[in-house]
Amino acid sequence: MSVDGTVRGAIAHGLVVLLGATHADTVAEADALARKLAGLRIFPDASERMNLDVSQVAGAVLVVPQFTLYGDANSGRRPDFVRAARPEIAEPLFERFCESLAAIGVPVARGVFRTHMEVALVNDGPVTLWLEIEPPAARA
């Protein structure tokens, strides 16, 4: 991942996470999402079964802040971003998510919040997931 031609975050093997936040997200959801991601058994074992998590394959995570994930294009031709959290909410949640992953022991490289980033990745495998942690009120 680069900004203005300068590499700001890179990993050799692991996961690229495009991270968005909504107005309802909290530190609790950021922590829960970090735990969920760190424990996902999506890497192949010796039998080629998805049985290993990112730490078990000596992987890392590149986390890219991406408010546009919550863009809504259901009406009209221009998406709105009403569901996306404002920067003063989203940036601390982005930082907390990265810190939580690192505290679990997962190496983390970070994108740069509120910048135009160029992200290059090699999608090596069949797994692309959308993960979302619902706030406790939504689960009730």
Side-chain angles (χ1 to χ4, degrees):
M1 187 282 315
S2 62
V3 176
D4 296 327
T6 302
V7 174
R8 299 291 300 267
I11 62 171
H13 178 65
L15 302 169
V16 175
V17 172
L18 304 176
L19 185 69
T22 71
H23 302 289
D25 289 331
T26 67
V27 168
E29 281 88 41
D31 292 344
L33 187 60
R35 287 189 304 273
K36 180 73 169 181
L37 182 74
L40 279 179
R41 296 177 6 177
I42 57 175
F43 291 92
D45 62 15
S47 300
E48 294 299 316
R49 296 193 58 193
M50 290 193 317
N51 232 0
L52 304 175
D53 65 36
V54 68
S55 293
Q56 292 172 309
V57 297
V61 178
L62 172 61
V63 185
V64 179
Q66 194 71 41
F67 82 95
T68 60
L69 290 175
Y70 285 102
D72 182 354
N74 283 316
S75 63
R77 296 183 306 151
R78 179 179 297 133
D80 74 53
F81 301 100
V82 174
R83 289 190 59 217
R86 301 214 25 92
E88 59 272 12
I89 294 169
E91 188 169 10
L93 290 173
F94 168 78
E95 294 297 333
R96 178 61 179 249
F97 175 79
C98 293
E99 292 164 4
S100 293
L101 268 178
I104 294 168
V106 177
V108 177
R110 301 174 190 210
V112 181
F113 203 86
R114 295 185 88 174
T115 62
H116 181 93
M117 295 170 282
E118 293 181 15
V119 180
L121 70 101
V122 174
N123 193 355
D124 180 16
V127 180
T128 302
L129 300 172
W130 173 278
L131 299 178
E132 191 166 33
I133 302 296
E134 292 181 358
R139 286 180 248 155

